[in-house]
Amino acid sequence: MDAKIRKKEINLLTLGTGIIFFGAWMLIKLAISVLSIIPDINKTYSTAEIIIAVLFILAIAALIFLIYLYVGVSARSESKGKRKKPVYLVVTVILILLTVLSAAADISFIFNPDVSILEVVTALLIDGTSLVFLIELMVNAIAVRKERKKEATA
Amino acid sequence: MNPDFHYYATYCAAILAGYSHEESQDIAYSDQFVDLCSATFLTIIKAPLAAATTQLQLELMDARTDIVGLQDITRIWSSFHFLPRDLSAETKKPSSKKYRNKYRLICGPNGELVKSTVELAKGKGMQAVGVAMHVLADTWAHQYFAGTPSLVINNTNHYFYECFPDGSEKKIRFRHSVSAPDDPENSIYTASLYVSSENSIMNLGHGRAGHLPDYGFIRYKYLPAWDDYEEVVKDNPSDYKHAFCQMITAMKYLRGVNNSFECGQYDFDAITDIDEDIEEILSKRQVDASDDWKALGEKLSGQTIKPFDIERYKGEYKNASSEDKDSTFLGRFILAALAQKSMVTNRIYTSGNKLAGYSVDYKKHGFRGIDDFRRLLAPEKEAKK
């Protein structure tokens, strides 16, 4: 097997693992954000309403994590030579778009005096890194598929 | 390599090179002793610590990995177990001097330093022959790894497959339990933990590949960190056979049978009668082939080979007076080890690489540096008198 394809496969494996960790980070970040604002909203809303809201948000967070997990596990499987449908690549494109929107939202917070600049920069760095991972994953996945197709027809 | 090759196989090679049984025993003992002559042992017998040819696991755990500590580690491991193949090798892609220095320490057979190692042992006694044979043999087993702690050179990854004679392959699984024995039947072996720090002891030599380079039976392929995802196939049975035949060639030179020693020469003729025996030993899946090599050695010499005993020459050295220590068995081994370390360190240093530390050319500048090495000048002073 060519060193080129081997390099891309190992990159894909690393990126797939990284995406899973990013998904876990998203889940933890959302969970902490939600739990940290409960004391503030406790005064305005009833306990039942808060519980429903928290559960709803956590469910969304879990869904987001599962999407990241799906992309990460698919990338890892593809890197190990298993044939994968390109559905996960379509999902990756959607995640890229969402990450771009998230980064844009982070930038808009710079002009918000209520939000600390440190928070904004941190969020931007995380989103930026996540974006790089997702784009790299796309590039490597497509490259691996192309190389394998070339080898199969050769 | 393991004691099966360093002790018993070296004995066989020495017999085939024409050495007597006693001489072959001394050579084999010295060969194997290179893997055991640690600072701890030398402290016990009150011998010069600079003569250490290895570092025990416990010593490595305590070893400093600052610049001085790294130089000390590199001096030992590059001089005796991972002799660099080409101190002027160029990397495939443009790289920093720091990386190039480490790349140039990659071990391999048939480099200039192997020739220098063998020539250094000429006329110096059986102990020097044993040291040289250890270094020579290890250039075959330990090739593609460097005797300096370096993640970017010595690391391996999950891409590690055993290759079988029928063409099939099996993925090798590494675990990090030092107490669990290697399991060749299920391709499960112990290797050092992945540590992302560049200069961690875990990244010294072939730790990341476990003991695989030291097993004569195994063929495997993997991706060395320095080779940019290119696959390396390691055929240990072939390499060990080449090492064996090259040792015979080297020892014939050291005995005076041949006028010179050149790299790339292997005395395959000497093993014509025992080729099948050697093939059988090297193809048997066993982590310790001592019994088989011992049986072959005793068949060749008709004598019984004493088992290796690290205590054998301790008393002689400890009880000798200071003037007589250098003429004891261990004393001669120590001189050979100091000479080898001095030569290799000097060559690494003069190539512009400071990873093994500084080196002084005694002939040009007189004696400077670690006092232990002063005794290397004693034979020259005697000769001048």
Side-chain angles (χ1 to χ4, degrees):
Chain A
M1 202 193 294
D2 203 16
K4 228 164 118 181
I5 191 175
R6 220 175 278 125
K7 184 175 181 175
K8 302 247 179 276
E9 282 177 349
I10 288 172
N11 283 350
L12 197 56
L13 181 74
T14 310
L15 290 161
T17 311
I19 289 297
I20 294 170
F21 277 104
F22 264 111
W25 158 251
M26 289 280 172
L27 177 65
I28 294 167
K29 188 177 82 164
L30 262 168
I32 291 174
S33 308
V34 161
L35 293 170
S36 67
I37 62 166
I38 286 174
D40 295 330
I41 60 172
N42 211 6
K43 301 161 194 166
T44 321
Y45 299 96
S46 70
T47 309
E49 282 169 332
I50 291 170
I51 289 172
I52 291 167
V54 166
L55 285 174
F56 180 72
I57 292 168
L58 288 178
I60 302 285
L63 181 66
I64 294 172
F65 169 67
L66 286 172
I67 292 169
Y68 273 90
L69 186 67
Y70 167 68
V71 168
V73 166
S74 300
R76 285 174 57 90
S77 292
E78 176 118 56
S79 76
K80 288 172 184 175
K82 291 180 193 160
R83 205 172 152 70
K84 294 296 293 178
K85 290 184 186 165
V87 173
Y88 85 96
L89 293 175
V90 174
V91 175
T92 307
V93 171
I94 295 169
L95 284 177
I96 290 171
L97 292 169
L98 288 172
T99 311
V100 168
L101 288 171
S102 172
D106 292 333
I107 291 168
S108 72
F109 278 126
I110 292 175
F111 307 105
N112 186 339
D114 296 328
V115 179
S116 145
I117 191 78
L118 193 62
E119 273 179 47
V120 172
V121 169
T122 309
L124 259 176
L125 280 170
I126 303 287
D127 280 336
T129 312
S130 175
L131 193 61
V132 167
F133 263 60
L134 287 164
I135 293 171
E136 281 277 320
L137 191 149
M138 276 286 301
V139 165
N140 280 282
I142 292 168
V144 163
R145 281 167 175 259
K146 267 191 184 159
E147 292 289 333
R148 282 191 186 146
K149 208 171 172 183
K150 247 193 238 174
E151 263 189 23
T153 51
Chain B
M1 283 173 171
N2 284 344
D4 53 12
F5 200 91
H6 278 313
Y7 189 62
Y8 293 108
T10 298
Y11 173 90
C12 296
I15 293 285
L16 289 168
Y19 283 105
S20 68
H21 164 71
E22 288 75 21
E23 286 170 334
S24 302
Q25 286 255 205
D26 288 349
I27 292 168
Y29 188 97
S30 303
D31 189 329
Q32 172 57 17
F33 192 62
V34 175
D35 272 343
L36 297 161
C37 183
S38 62
T40 305
F41 180 87
L42 292 168
T43 306
I44 293 168
I45 63 170
K46 296 186 174 52
L49 297 185
T53 57
T54 191
Q55 290 174 295
L56 303 175
Q57 273 192 346
L58 287 174
E59 289 172 0
L60 282 171
M61 274 167 56
D62 283 341
R64 295 156 53 185
T65 50
D66 57 8
I67 195 164
V68 173
L70 287 173
Q71 286 172 350
D72 193 38
I73 292 167
T74 305
R75 257 200 302 278
I76 292 173
W77 293 92
S78 290
S79 300
F80 299 103
H81 308 279
F82 296 90
L83 197 71
R85 191 208 306 255
D86 184 358
L87 290 173
S88 54
E90 287 301 331
T91 51
K92 291 178 189 175
K93 292 180 185 169
S95 55
S96 64
K97 178 138 174 60
K98 201 171 169 183
Y99 178 81
R100 248 189 340 269
N101 283 344
K102 294 179 187 188
Y103 183 83
R104 286 169 174 172
L105 292 185
I106 293 173
C107 173
N110 294 316
E112 274 182 37
L113 276 172
V114 170
K115 188 164 153 50
S116 302
T117 296
V118 173
E119 288 170 350
L120 185 68
K122 181 86 170 165
K124 302 257 175 57
M126 302 304 116
Q127 292 77 15
V129 176
V131 169
M133 291 309 102
H134 185 106
V135 176
L136 187 155
D138 270 354
T139 59
W140 286 93
H142 298 168
Q143 59 182 306
Y144 309 128
F145 293 97
T148 190
S150 171
L151 179 76
V152 297
I153 299 291
N154 293 327
N155 193 31
T156 64
N157 61 7
H158 63 278
Y159 189 96
F160 224 112
Y161 296 86
E162 183 172 353
C163 309
F164 295 95
D166 61 3
S168 63
E169 291 175 359
K170 187 174 181 184
K171 195 163 196 309
I172 287 173
R173 188 164 79 86
F174 284 115
R175 60 185 169 198
H176 310 295
S177 168
V178 181
S179 56
D182 286 344
D183 181 6
E185 290 318 306
N186 296 310
S187 295
I188 301 172
Y189 298 92
T190 300
S192 64
L193 266 169
Y194 172 75
V195 174
S196 60
S197 164
E198 165 63 9
N199 294 323
S200 166
I201 289 299
M202 295 291 165
N203 299 322
L204 171 64
H206 62 76
R208 294 288 294 141
H211 289 294
L212 291 185
D214 292 332
Y215 293 147
F217 67 88
I218 198 165
R219 291 176 185 85
Y220 54 92
K221 64 179 188 182
Y222 71 108
L223 306 182
W226 53 267
D227 209 9
D228 200 21
Y229 300 94
E230 292 287 350
E231 199 177 72
V232 154
V233 180
K234 188 85 175 23
D235 184 348
N236 278 3
S238 168
D239 287 345
Y240 276 46
K241 201 168 176 184
H242 279 79
F244 187 81
C245 296
Q246 193 172 48
M247 284 204 295
I248 298 172
T249 309
M251 284 194 274
K252 280 187 174 175
Y253 159 71
L254 291 169
R255 265 194 69 229
V257 173
N258 299 337
N259 293 328
S260 65
F261 172 77
E262 298 298 333
C263 290
Q265 288 177 355
Y266 316 98
D267 197 344
F268 290 116
D269 293 334
I271 65 163
T272 317
D273 294 337
I274 56 165
D275 194 32
E276 270 183 38
D277 296 300
I278 293 175
E279 285 289 331
E280 201 184 313
I281 296 171
L282 293 176
S283 55
K284 204 195 264 189
R285 290 179 72 77
Q286 53 184 350
V287 299
D288 184 3
S290 294
D291 290 343
D292 292 334
W293 281 111
K294 182 173 191 283
L296 181 62
E298 287 172 348
K299 179 174 142 188
L300 285 170
S301 65
Q303 310 253 19
T304 308
I305 306 171
K306 279 187 262 187
F308 183 86
D309 178 10
I310 195 173
E311 306 289 319
R312 193 180 301 160
Y313 299 106
K314 240 180 173 176
E316 184 200 15
Y317 186 85
K318 279 169 92 169
N319 298 331
S321 64
S322 352
E323 299 83 29
D324 295 332
K325 279 204 188 313
D326 283 351
S327 47
T328 61
F329 186 101
L330 288 183
R332 286 192 290 270
F333 176 90
I334 284 164
L335 282 173
L338 288 170
Q340 172 69 11
K341 195 187 269 191
S342 180
M343 184 271 291
V344 175
T345 307
N346 183 261
R347 294 284 285 276
I348 294 173
Y349 175 72
T350 51
S351 75
N353 189 336
K354 291 200 184 76
L355 282 176
Y358 288 83
S359 175
V360 175
D361 191 331
Y362 298 150
K363 287 177 182 143
K364 276 188 196 164
H365 305 289
F367 181 80
R368 276 172 180 66
I370 299 171
D371 208 43
D372 292 345
F373 289 92
R374 193 184 287 276
R375 64 195 65 219
L376 291 178
L377 296 174
E380 285 184 21
K381 279 188 182 164
E382 282 292 319
K384 279 181 187 170
K385 282 179 193 170

